Each structure stands twice: as C-alpha cells, then as structure tokens.
Coordinates of all heavy atoms in Angstrom, one line a residue:
M45 N 0.8 -0.4 21.7 CA 0.0 0.0 20.6 C -1.5 0.3 21.0 O -2.2 1.0 20.3 CB -0.1 -1.1 19.6 CG 1.1 -1.4 18.7 SD 2.3 -0.1 18.6 CE 3.6 -1.0 19.4
A46 N -1.9 -0.2 22.1 CA -3.3 0.1 22.6 C -3.6 1.6 22.7 O -4.7 2.0 22.4 CB -3.6 -0.7 23.9
L47 N -2.6 2.4 23.2 CA -2.9 3.8 23.3 C -3.1 4.4 21.9 O -4.1 5.2 21.8 CB -1.7 4.5 23.9 CG -1.4 4.2 25.4 CD1 -0.1 4.8 25.8 CD2 -2.5 4.7 26.3
I48 N -2.3 4.1 20.9 CA -2.5 4.6 19.6 C -3.8 4.0 19.0 O -4.6 4.8 18.4 CB -1.3 4.3 18.7 CG1 -0.1 5.0 19.2 CG2 -1.6 4.6 17.2 CD1 1.2 4.6 18.5
D49 N -4.0 2.7 19.1 CA -5.2 2.1 18.6 C -6.5 2.7 19.2 O -7.6 2.6 18.6 CB -5.2 0.6 18.7 CG -4.2 0.0 17.7 OD1 -3.9 0.6 16.6 OD2 -3.6 -1.1 18.0
G50 N -6.4 3.2 20.4 CA -7.6 3.7 21.1 C -7.8 5.2 20.9 O -8.9 5.7 21.3
A51 N -6.9 5.9 20.2 CA -7.1 7.3 19.9 C -8.4 7.5 19.1 O -8.7 6.8 18.2 CB -5.9 7.8 19.1
E52 N -9.0 8.6 19.4 CA -10.3 9.0 18.7 C -10.2 10.2 17.9 O -10.9 10.4 16.9 CB -11.4 9.1 19.7 CG -11.7 7.8 20.4 CD -12.8 7.9 21.5 OE1 -13.3 9.1 21.7 OE2 -13.1 6.9 22.1
R53 N -9.4 11.2 18.3 CA -9.4 12.5 17.6 C -8.0 12.9 17.1 O -7.9 13.3 16.0 CB -9.9 13.6 18.6 CG -11.3 13.5 19.0 CD -11.7 14.6 20.0 NE -10.8 14.9 21.1 CZ -10.7 14.2 22.2 NH1 -11.5 13.1 22.4 NH2 -9.9 14.5 23.1
E54 N -7.0 12.9 18.0 CA -5.7 13.4 17.5 C -4.5 12.7 18.3 O -4.7 12.3 19.4 CB -5.6 14.9 17.7 CG -5.7 15.3 19.2 CD -5.8 16.8 19.3 OE1 -6.0 17.5 18.3 OE2 -5.8 17.3 20.5
I55 N -3.4 12.7 17.6 CA -2.1 12.2 18.2 C -1.1 13.2 17.8 O -0.9 13.5 16.6 CB -1.7 10.8 17.8 CG1 -2.8 9.8 18.2 CG2 -0.4 10.4 18.3 CD1 -2.6 8.4 17.6
D56 N -0.4 13.7 18.8 CA 0.8 14.6 18.6 C 2.0 13.9 19.2 O 2.0 13.4 20.3 CB 0.6 16.0 19.3 CG -0.5 16.8 18.7 OD1 -0.6 16.8 17.5 OD2 -1.3 17.3 19.5
M57 N 3.1 13.8 18.4 CA 4.3 13.1 18.8 C 5.5 14.0 18.5 O 5.6 14.7 17.5 CB 4.5 11.8 18.0 CG 3.6 10.7 18.3 SD 4.1 9.3 17.4 CE 4.5 8.2 18.7
A58 N 6.5 13.9 19.4 CA 7.8 14.5 19.1 C 8.8 13.4 19.4 O 8.7 12.8 20.5 CB 8.1 15.7 20.0
A59 N 9.7 13.2 18.5 CA 10.7 12.1 18.7 C 11.9 12.4 17.9 O 11.9 13.0 16.9 CB 10.1 10.8 18.2
Y60 N 13.0 12.0 18.5 CA 14.3 12.1 17.8 C 14.4 11.2 16.6 O 14.8 11.6 15.5 CB 15.4 11.7 18.8 CG 16.8 11.8 18.2 CD1 17.4 13.0 17.9 CD2 17.6 10.7 18.0 CE1 18.6 13.1 17.3 CE2 18.9 10.8 17.5 CZ 19.4 12.0 17.2 OH 20.7 12.1 16.7
V61 N 13.8 10.1 16.7 CA 13.8 9.1 15.6 C 12.5 8.3 15.7 O 12.0 8.0 16.8 CB 15.0 8.2 15.6 CG1 15.1 7.3 16.8 CG2 15.1 7.4 14.3
L62 N 11.9 7.9 14.6 CA 10.7 7.1 14.5 C 11.1 5.9 13.6 O 11.0 6.1 12.4 CB 9.5 7.9 14.1 CG 8.2 7.1 14.0 CD1 7.8 6.5 15.3 CD2 7.1 8.0 13.4
T63 N 11.4 4.8 14.2 CA 11.9 3.6 13.4 C 11.1 2.4 13.7 O 11.3 1.3 13.1 CB 13.4 3.3 13.6 OG1 13.6 3.1 15.0 CG2 14.2 4.5 13.1
D64 N 10.2 2.4 14.7 CA 9.5 1.2 15.2 C 8.3 0.9 14.2 O 7.3 1.7 14.2 CB 9.0 1.5 16.6 CG 8.6 0.2 17.3 OD1 8.0 -0.7 16.6 OD2 8.8 0.1 18.5
W65 N 8.4 -0.1 13.5 CA 7.4 -0.4 12.5 C 6.0 -0.6 13.1 O 5.0 -0.1 12.5 CB 7.8 -1.7 11.7 CG 8.9 -1.4 10.7 CD1 9.9 -0.5 10.8 CD2 9.1 -2.0 9.4 NE1 10.7 -0.5 9.7 CE2 10.3 -1.4 8.9 CE3 8.4 -3.0 8.8 CZ2 10.8 -1.8 7.6 CZ3 8.9 -3.4 7.5 CH2 10.1 -2.8 7.0
P66 N 5.9 -1.4 14.2 CA 4.5 -1.5 14.7 C 3.9 -0.2 15.2 O 2.7 0.0 15.0 CB 4.7 -2.4 16.0 CG 5.9 -3.2 15.6 CD 6.8 -2.3 14.9
V67 N 4.7 0.8 15.7 CA 4.2 2.1 16.0 C 3.7 2.8 14.8 O 2.6 3.4 14.7 CB 5.2 2.9 16.8 CG1 4.8 4.4 17.0 CG2 5.5 2.3 18.2
M68 N 4.6 2.8 13.7 CA 4.2 3.5 12.5 C 2.9 2.9 11.9 O 2.1 3.6 11.3 CB 5.4 3.5 11.5 CG 6.5 4.4 11.9 SD 7.8 4.5 10.7 CE 8.8 3.0 11.1
Q69 N 2.8 1.6 11.9 CA 1.6 0.9 11.4 C 0.4 1.3 12.2 O -0.7 1.5 11.7 CB 1.8 -0.6 11.4 CG 2.8 -1.0 10.3 CD 3.3 -2.5 10.5 OE1 3.3 -3.0 11.6 NE2 3.7 -3.1 9.4
A70 N 0.5 1.4 13.5 CA -0.6 1.8 14.4 C -1.0 3.2 14.1 O -2.2 3.6 14.1 CB -0.2 1.6 15.9
L71 N 0.0 4.1 13.9 CA -0.3 5.5 13.5 C -1.0 5.6 12.2 O -2.0 6.4 12.0 CB 1.0 6.3 13.5 CG 1.6 6.6 14.8 CD1 3.0 7.2 14.6 CD2 0.8 7.5 15.7
T72 N -0.6 4.7 11.2 CA -1.3 4.7 9.9 C -2.8 4.2 10.1 O -3.7 4.8 9.5 CB -0.6 3.8 8.9 OG1 0.8 4.3 8.8 CG2 -1.3 3.7 7.6
R73 N -3.0 3.2 10.9 CA -4.3 2.7 11.2 C -5.2 3.8 11.8 O -6.4 4.0 11.5 CB -4.3 1.5 12.1 CG -3.9 0.2 11.5 CD -4.1 -1.0 12.3 NE -3.6 -0.9 13.7 CZ -2.4 -1.3 14.0 NH1 -1.6 -1.8 13.2 NH2 -2.0 -1.2 15.3
A74 N -4.6 4.6 12.8 CA -5.3 5.7 13.4 C -5.7 6.7 12.4 O -6.8 7.2 12.4 CB -4.5 6.3 14.5
A75 N -4.8 7.1 11.5 CA -5.1 8.1 10.5 C -6.2 7.6 9.6 O -7.1 8.3 9.2 CB -3.9 8.4 9.7
D76 N -6.2 6.3 9.3 CA -7.2 5.7 8.4 C -8.6 5.8 9.1 O -9.6 5.8 8.4 CB -6.9 4.2 8.1 CG -5.7 4.1 7.1 OD1 -5.4 5.1 6.4 OD2 -5.1 3.0 7.0
R77 N -8.6 5.8 10.4 CA -9.8 5.9 11.2 C -10.3 7.4 11.3 O -11.3 7.7 11.9 CB -9.7 5.4 12.6 CG -9.5 3.9 12.7 CD -9.7 3.4 14.2 NE -9.0 4.3 15.2 CZ -7.7 4.1 15.6 NH1 -7.0 3.2 15.1 NH2 -7.2 4.9 16.5
G78 N -9.5 8.3 10.8 CA -9.8 9.7 10.9 C -9.2 10.5 12.0 O -9.5 11.7 12.2
V79 N -8.2 9.9 12.7 CA -7.5 10.5 13.8 C -6.4 11.4 13.1 O -5.7 11.0 12.2 CB -6.8 9.5 14.7 CG1 -5.9 10.2 15.7 CG2 -7.8 8.6 15.4
H80 N -6.3 12.7 13.5 CA -5.3 13.6 13.0 C -4.0 13.3 13.7 O -3.9 13.3 14.9 CB -5.8 15.1 13.2 CG -4.8 16.0 12.6 ND1 -4.9 16.4 11.3 CD2 -3.8 16.7 13.1 CE1 -3.9 17.3 11.0 NE2 -3.3 17.5 12.2
I81 N -3.0 13.1 12.9 CA -1.6 12.7 13.4 C -0.7 13.8 13.0 O -0.5 14.2 11.9 CB -1.1 11.4 12.7 CG1 -2.2 10.3 12.8 CG2 0.2 11.0 13.3 CD1 -2.4 9.7 14.1
R82 N 0.0 14.4 14.1 CA 1.1 15.3 13.9 C 2.4 14.8 14.5 O 2.3 14.4 15.7 CB 0.7 16.7 14.5 CG -0.4 17.3 13.7 CD -0.8 18.7 14.3 NE -1.2 18.5 15.7 CZ -1.8 19.5 16.4 NH1 -2.1 20.6 15.8 NH2 -2.2 19.2 17.6
I83 N 3.4 14.8 13.7 CA 4.7 14.2 14.2 C 5.8 15.2 13.9 O 5.9 15.8 12.8 CB 5.0 12.9 13.5 CG1 3.9 11.9 13.7 CG2 6.4 12.3 13.9 CD1 4.0 10.6 12.8
Y84 N 6.7 15.4 14.9 CA 7.8 16.3 14.8 C 9.1 15.5 15.1 O 9.2 14.9 16.1 CB 7.7 17.5 15.8 CG 8.8 18.5 15.7 CD1 8.9 19.2 14.5 CD2 9.6 18.8 16.7 CE1 9.9 20.2 14.4 CE2 10.6 19.8 16.6 CZ 10.7 20.5 15.5 OH 11.7 21.4 15.4
L85 N 10.0 15.4 14.1 CA 11.2 14.6 14.1 C 12.4 15.5 14.0 O 12.4 16.5 13.3 CB 11.1 13.5 13.1 CG 10.0 12.5 13.1 CD1 10.0 11.7 11.8 CD2 10.1 11.7 14.3
D86 N 13.5 14.9 14.5 CA 14.8 15.6 14.2 C 15.3 15.3 12.8 O 15.2 14.1 12.3 CB 15.9 15.1 15.2 CG 17.2 15.8 15.1 OD1 17.3 16.9 15.7 OD2 18.1 15.3 14.4
G87 N 15.7 16.2 12.1 CA 16.1 16.1 10.6 C 17.3 15.2 10.4 O 17.5 14.6 9.3
T88 N 18.2 15.2 11.4 CA 19.5 14.5 11.1 C 19.2 13.0 10.9 O 19.9 12.3 10.2 CB 20.5 14.7 12.3 OG1 19.9 14.3 13.5 CG2 20.9 16.1 12.4
Q89 N 18.2 12.4 11.6 CA 18.0 11.0 11.5 C 17.5 10.7 10.1 O 17.8 9.6 9.5 CB 16.9 10.6 12.5 CG 17.4 10.6 13.9 CD 18.6 9.6 14.1 OE1 18.4 8.4 13.8 NE2 19.7 10.1 14.5
L90 N 16.6 11.5 9.5 CA 16.1 11.2 8.1 C 17.2 11.5 7.1 O 17.2 10.8 6.0 CB 14.9 12.1 7.8 CG 13.7 11.8 8.7 CD1 12.6 12.7 8.4 CD2 13.2 10.3 8.4
A91 N 18.2 12.4 7.4 CA 19.2 12.6 6.4 C 20.2 11.5 6.3 O 20.9 11.3 5.3 CB 19.9 13.9 6.8
E92 N 20.3 10.7 7.3 CA 21.3 9.6 7.4 C 20.9 8.4 6.6 O 21.8 7.6 6.2 CB 21.6 9.2 8.8 CG 22.3 10.3 9.6 CD 22.5 9.9 11.0 OE1 22.2 8.8 11.5 OE2 23.0 10.8 11.8
R93 N 19.6 8.2 6.3 CA 19.3 6.9 5.6 C 17.9 7.2 4.9 O 17.1 8.0 5.2 CB 19.1 5.8 6.5 CG 18.1 5.9 7.6 CD 18.1 4.7 8.5 NE 17.6 4.9 9.9 CZ 18.1 5.6 10.8 NH1 19.1 6.3 10.6 NH2 17.5 5.7 12.0
E94 N 17.7 6.3 3.9 CA 16.4 6.4 3.2 C 15.3 5.9 4.1 O 15.5 4.8 4.7 CB 16.5 5.5 1.9 CG 15.3 5.4 1.1 CD 15.0 6.7 0.3 OE1 15.9 7.5 0.1 OE2 13.8 6.9 0.0
P95 N 14.2 6.6 4.2 CA 13.1 6.1 5.0 C 12.5 4.8 4.6 O 12.5 4.5 3.4 CB 12.1 7.2 4.9 CG 12.8 8.4 4.5 CD 13.9 7.9 3.6
A96 N 12.2 3.9 5.5 CA 11.6 2.6 5.2 C 10.2 2.8 4.5 O 9.6 3.9 4.7 CB 11.5 1.8 6.4
K97 N 9.8 1.9 3.8 CA 8.5 1.9 3.1 C 7.3 2.2 4.1 O 6.4 3.0 3.9 CB 8.2 0.6 2.4 CG 6.8 0.7 1.6 CD 6.5 -0.6 0.9 CE 5.2 -0.6 0.2 NZ 4.1 0.1 0.7
V98 N 7.4 1.6 5.3 CA 6.4 1.8 6.3 C 6.3 3.3 6.7 O 5.2 3.8 7.0 CB 6.5 0.8 7.5 CG1 7.7 1.1 8.3 CG2 5.3 0.8 8.4
F99 N 7.5 3.9 6.8 CA 7.5 5.4 7.1 C 6.9 6.2 6.0 O 6.1 7.1 6.2 CB 8.9 5.8 7.4 CG 9.0 7.3 7.8 CD1 8.8 7.7 9.1 CD2 9.3 8.3 6.8 CE1 8.8 9.1 9.4 CE2 9.3 9.6 7.2 CZ 9.1 10.0 8.5
R100 N 7.3 5.9 4.7 CA 6.7 6.6 3.6 C 5.2 6.4 3.5 O 4.5 7.3 3.2 CB 7.4 6.1 2.3 CG 8.9 6.5 2.2 CD 9.5 6.3 0.8 NE 9.2 5.0 0.3 CZ 10.0 3.9 0.4 NH1 11.1 4.0 1.2 NH2 9.7 2.8 -0.1
D101 N 4.8 5.2 3.8 CA 3.3 4.9 3.8 C 2.6 5.8 4.8 O 1.6 6.4 4.5 CB 3.0 3.4 4.1 CG 3.4 2.5 3.0 OD1 3.6 3.0 1.8 OD2 3.4 1.3 3.2
L102 N 3.2 5.9 6.0 CA 2.6 6.8 7.1 C 2.6 8.2 6.6 O 1.6 8.9 6.7 CB 3.4 6.6 8.4 CG 3.1 7.6 9.5 CD1 1.7 7.4 10.0 CD2 4.1 7.5 10.6
A103 N 3.7 8.7 6.0 CA 3.8 10.1 5.6 C 2.8 10.4 4.5 O 2.4 11.6 4.4 CB 5.3 10.4 5.1
E104 N 2.5 9.4 3.7 CA 1.6 9.7 2.6 C 0.1 9.5 2.9 O -0.8 9.7 2.1 CB 1.9 8.8 1.4 CG 3.3 9.1 0.8 CD 3.8 8.0 -0.1 OE1 3.1 7.1 -0.4 OE2 5.0 8.2 -0.6
T105 N -0.2 9.1 4.2 CA -1.6 8.8 4.6 C -2.3 10.2 4.8 O -1.7 11.0 5.6 CB -1.6 8.0 5.9 OG1 -0.9 6.7 5.6 CG2 -3.0 7.7 6.3
P106 N -3.5 10.3 4.3 CA -4.2 11.6 4.6 C -4.4 11.7 6.1 O -4.7 10.8 6.8 CB -5.5 11.4 3.8 CG -5.2 10.4 2.7 CD -4.1 9.5 3.3
G107 N -4.3 13.0 6.5 CA -4.5 13.2 8.0 C -3.2 13.1 8.8 O -3.2 13.4 10.0
V108 N -2.1 12.8 8.1 CA -0.8 12.7 8.8 C 0.1 13.9 8.4 O 0.3 14.2 7.2 CB 0.0 11.4 8.5 CG1 1.4 11.4 9.1 CG2 -0.8 10.2 8.9
E109 N 0.6 14.6 9.3 CA 1.4 15.8 9.1 C 2.8 15.5 9.8 O 2.8 15.3 11.0 CB 0.8 17.0 9.7 CG 1.6 18.3 9.6 CD 0.9 19.5 10.2 OE1 -0.3 19.3 10.7 OE2 1.5 20.5 10.3
I110 N 3.9 15.5 9.0 CA 5.2 15.2 9.6 C 6.0 16.5 9.4 O 6.2 16.9 8.2 CB 5.8 14.0 9.0 CG1 5.0 12.7 9.3 CG2 7.3 13.8 9.6 CD1 5.5 11.5 8.7
K111 N 6.6 17.0 10.5 CA 7.4 18.2 10.4 C 8.8 17.8 10.8 O 9.0 16.9 11.7 CB 6.9 19.4 11.2 CG 5.6 19.9 10.7 CD 5.4 21.3 11.1 CE 4.1 21.7 10.5 NZ 4.0 23.1 10.3
I112 N 9.8 18.3 10.2 CA 11.2 18.0 10.4 C 12.0 19.2 11.0 O 11.9 20.2 10.4 CB 11.9 17.4 9.1 CG1 11.1 16.3 8.5 CG2 13.3 17.0 9.4 CD1 10.9 15.1 9.3
K113 N 12.7 19.0 12.1 CA 13.6 20.0 12.6 C 14.8 20.1 11.7 O 15.4 19.1 11.4 CB 14.0 19.8 14.0 CG 14.9 20.8 14.6 CD 15.6 20.4 15.8 CE 16.6 21.4 16.4 NZ 17.7 21.6 15.5
H114 N 15.1 21.3 11.2 CA 16.3 21.4 10.4 C 17.6 21.3 11.2 O 17.5 21.4 12.4 CB 16.2 22.8 9.6 CG 15.0 22.9 8.7 ND1 14.9 22.2 7.6 CD2 13.9 23.5 8.9 CE1 13.8 22.4 7.0 NE2 13.1 23.2 7.8
E115 N 18.6 21.1 10.5 CA 19.9 20.7 11.1 C 20.6 21.8 11.8 O 21.8 21.7 12.1 CB 20.8 20.0 10.1 CG 20.3 18.7 9.6 CD 21.2 18.0 8.6 OE1 22.4 18.2 8.7 OE2 20.7 17.3 7.7
T116 N 20.0 22.9 12.1 CA 20.6 24.0 12.8 C 20.5 23.8 14.3 O 19.5 23.4 14.8 CB 20.0 25.4 12.4 OG1 18.6 25.3 12.7 CG2 20.2 25.7 10.9
G117 N 21.6 24.1 15.0 CA 21.6 24.0 16.4 C 21.7 22.6 16.9 O 22.0 21.7 16.2
A118 N 21.3 22.5 18.2 CA 21.3 21.2 18.9 C 20.3 20.2 18.3 O 19.2 20.7 17.9 CB 21.1 21.4 20.4
P119 N 20.5 18.9 18.4 CA 19.5 18.0 18.0 C 18.2 18.1 18.8 O 18.3 18.4 20.0 CB 20.1 16.6 18.2 CG 21.6 16.9 18.5 CD 21.7 18.3 18.9
M120 N 17.1 17.8 18.2 CA 15.8 17.8 18.9 C 15.7 16.3 19.5 O 15.6 15.4 18.7 CB 14.7 18.1 18.0 CG 13.3 18.3 18.6 SD 12.4 16.9 19.2 CE 12.2 15.9 17.7
H121 N 15.8 16.2 20.8 CA 15.9 14.8 21.3 C 14.7 14.6 22.2 O 14.8 13.9 23.2 CB 17.2 14.6 22.1 CG 17.6 13.2 22.1 ND1 18.7 12.8 22.8 CD2 17.1 12.1 21.5 CE1 18.9 11.5 22.7 NE2 17.9 11.1 21.9
L122 N 13.5 15.2 21.9 CA 12.3 15.0 22.7 C 11.8 13.5 22.5 O 11.9 12.9 21.5 CB 11.2 15.9 22.3 CG 11.5 17.4 22.6 CD1 10.4 18.3 21.9 CD2 11.6 17.7 24.0
K123 N 11.1 13.1 23.5 CA 10.3 11.8 23.4 C 9.0 12.0 24.2 O 8.9 11.7 25.4 CB 11.1 10.7 24.1 CG 12.4 10.4 23.4 CD 13.2 9.3 24.2 CE 14.6 9.1 23.7 NZ 15.5 10.2 24.0
S124 N 8.0 12.5 23.5 CA 6.8 12.8 24.1 C 5.6 12.6 23.1 O 5.9 12.7 21.9 CB 6.8 14.2 24.8 OG 6.9 15.2 23.8
Y125 N 4.5 12.5 23.7 CA 3.3 12.4 22.8 C 2.1 12.8 23.6 O 2.1 12.8 24.9 CB 3.1 11.0 22.2 CG 2.9 9.9 23.2 CD1 1.6 9.5 23.6 CD2 3.9 9.2 23.7 CE1 1.4 8.5 24.5 CE2 3.7 8.1 24.6 CZ 2.4 7.8 25.0 OH 2.2 6.8 25.8
Q126 N 1.0 13.1 22.9 CA -0.3 13.5 23.4 C -1.3 12.8 22.6 O -1.3 12.9 21.4 CB -0.4 15.0 23.4 CG -1.8 15.5 23.9 CD -1.8 17.0 24.0 OE1 -1.0 17.6 24.7 NE2 -2.7 17.6 23.3
I127 N -2.2 12.1 23.3 CA -3.3 11.4 22.6 C -4.6 11.9 23.1 O -4.9 11.8 24.3 CB -3.2 9.9 22.8 CG1 -1.9 9.4 22.2 CG2 -4.4 9.1 22.2 CD1 -1.6 7.9 22.3
D128 N -5.4 12.5 22.2 CA -6.7 13.0 22.5 C -6.7 14.0 23.7 O -7.5 13.9 24.6 CB -7.7 11.9 22.8 CG -8.1 11.1 21.6 OD1 -7.9 11.6 20.5 OD2 -8.5 9.9 21.7
G129 N -5.6 14.8 23.7 CA -5.5 15.8 24.8 C -4.8 15.4 26.1 O -4.5 16.2 26.9
A130 N -4.6 14.1 26.2 CA -3.9 13.6 27.4 C -2.4 13.5 27.1 O -2.0 12.8 26.3 CB -4.4 12.2 27.8
S131 N -1.6 14.3 27.8 CA -0.2 14.4 27.6 C 0.6 13.4 28.4 O 0.2 13.0 29.5 CB 0.3 15.8 28.0 OG 1.6 16.0 27.7
C132 N 1.7 13.0 27.8 CA 2.6 12.1 28.5 C 4.0 12.5 28.1 O 4.4 12.3 26.9 CB 2.3 10.6 28.1 SG 3.4 9.5 29.0
A133 N 4.8 13.0 29.0 CA 6.2 13.3 28.7 C 7.0 13.1 30.0 O 6.6 13.6 31.0 CB 6.3 14.8 28.3
P134 N 8.1 12.4 30.0 CA 8.6 11.7 28.8 C 7.8 10.5 28.5 O 7.0 10.0 29.3 CB 10.0 11.3 29.2 CG 10.0 11.2 30.7 CD 9.0 12.3 31.2
A135 N 7.9 10.1 27.3 CA 7.0 9.1 26.7 C 7.4 7.7 27.4 O 8.5 7.3 27.5 CB 7.2 8.9 25.2
P136 N 6.3 7.0 27.9 CA 6.6 5.6 28.3 C 6.8 4.8 27.1 O 6.5 5.1 26.0 CB 5.3 5.2 29.0 CG 4.3 6.1 28.4 CD 5.0 7.4 28.0
R137 N 7.4 3.6 27.3 CA 7.6 2.7 26.1 C 6.2 2.2 25.7 O 5.5 1.6 26.4 CB 8.5 1.6 26.6 CG 8.9 0.6 25.6 CD 9.8 -0.4 26.3 NE 10.0 -1.5 25.4 CZ 11.2 -2.0 25.2 NH1 12.2 -1.5 25.7 NH2 11.2 -3.0 24.4
I138 N 5.9 2.5 24.4 CA 4.6 2.0 23.9 C 4.8 0.9 22.9 O 3.8 0.5 22.3 CB 3.8 3.2 23.3 CG1 4.5 3.8 22.1 CG2 3.4 4.2 24.3 CD1 3.7 4.9 21.4
S139 N 6.0 0.4 22.8 CA 6.2 -0.7 21.9 C 7.0 -1.8 22.5 O 7.9 -1.5 23.3 CB 6.9 -0.2 20.6 OG 7.3 -1.3 19.8
Q140 N 6.7 -3.0 22.3 CA 7.5 -4.1 22.8 C 8.3 -4.7 21.6 O 8.8 -5.8 21.7 CB 6.5 -5.2 23.3 CG 5.7 -4.7 24.5 CD 6.6 -4.2 25.6 OE1 7.6 -4.8 26.0 NE2 6.2 -3.1 26.2
H141 N 8.5 -4.0 20.6 CA 9.2 -4.4 19.4 C 10.7 -4.8 19.8 O 11.3 -4.0 20.5 CB 9.2 -3.4 18.3 CG 9.7 -3.8 17.0 ND1 11.0 -3.8 16.6 CD2 9.0 -4.4 16.0 CE1 11.1 -4.3 15.4 NE2 9.9 -4.7 15.0
P142 N 11.2 -6.0 19.4 CA 12.5 -6.4 19.8 C 13.6 -5.4 19.3 O 14.6 -5.4 19.9 CB 12.7 -7.8 19.1 CG 11.4 -8.1 18.4 CD 10.5 -7.0 18.5
A143 N 13.4 -4.7 18.3 CA 14.4 -3.8 17.8 C 14.7 -2.6 18.7 O 15.7 -1.9 18.6 CB 14.0 -3.2 16.4
S144 N 13.8 -2.4 19.7 CA 14.0 -1.3 20.6 C 15.2 -1.5 21.6 O 15.7 -0.6 22.2 CB 12.7 -1.1 21.4 OG 12.5 -2.1 22.3
S145 N 15.6 -2.7 21.8 CA 16.8 -3.0 22.6 C 16.8 -2.3 24.0 O 17.8 -1.9 24.4 CB 18.1 -2.6 21.9 OG 18.2 -3.2 20.6
G146 N 15.6 -2.3 24.6 CA 15.5 -1.7 25.9 C 15.5 -0.1 25.9 O 15.3 0.5 26.9
R147 N 15.6 0.5 24.7 CA 15.5 1.9 24.6 C 14.0 2.3 24.5 O 13.2 1.5 24.2 CB 16.2 2.4 23.3 CG 17.6 2.2 23.4 CD 18.2 2.5 22.0 NE 17.8 1.5 21.1 CZ 17.7 1.7 19.8 NH1 18.0 2.8 19.2 NH2 17.4 0.7 19.0
I148 N 13.7 3.6 24.9 CA 12.3 4.1 24.7 C 12.1 4.3 23.2 O 12.9 5.0 22.6 CB 12.1 5.4 25.5 CG1 12.2 5.1 26.9 CG2 10.8 6.0 25.1 CD1 12.2 6.4 27.8
M149 N 11.2 3.6 22.7 CA 10.9 3.8 21.2 C 9.5 4.3 21.1 O 8.5 3.7 21.6 CB 11.0 2.4 20.6 CG 12.3 1.7 20.7 SD 13.6 2.6 19.8 CE 13.2 2.2 18.1
I150 N 9.3 5.4 20.4 CA 8.0 5.9 20.1 C 7.8 6.1 18.6 O 8.8 6.0 17.9 CB 7.6 7.2 20.8 CG1 8.6 8.3 20.4 CG2 7.7 7.0 22.3 CD1 8.1 9.7 20.9

C-alpha cells in the first residue's frame, strides 16, 4: 500500500480483476488526496458478480476513471501499473491481503 499511499499525481492500473479491498481503499484515499486514478479491467470479471461496496465507492470517487474491456476476443489479463510516471510491469505484489492466496493481486 505504501506505493499507492505515496502517489502524488497519478496512478494508472491494468488488471484482470481488482478484488483486494486494501488496494481499493488505498486507491480511494489517493483519489481523495487529488491523485488522478485510471483503471482498466477485464469485463468478464465484473459480469460474473455484483461489485463489492468498496469497489463501488472507488468507482464513485471524483478523480477515478474505470474503463472496462468488452467481452470480445481474448481476456485482458494484464497486471501492471504506473505511479507518478514510474512504470512497473509485470506488477509486483503490492498487497499482503490474505485473500490473495499467493497470487499477484493489484
């Protein structure tokens, strides 16, 4: 979370799925500080279940832009992010949340 909490200008993320509550809460805090947040997700994940309240809160936060890849073609399975112009791909694990089960969670 320190990377997100330290962001000053912008965060760009691409992820197959975004389910990690601490990450979503950190992104919301960053947006509340004026950091511009852009997130690109695969649409199949959102179509399978109702988004959690923490995701809806993030999506409704001013300064947060979430785009969804439509279900045409292959799944978008990227895991990368850029914070204040510093790129990281593939994304290192930025959450120690137990729900991650050893997977990379962004």
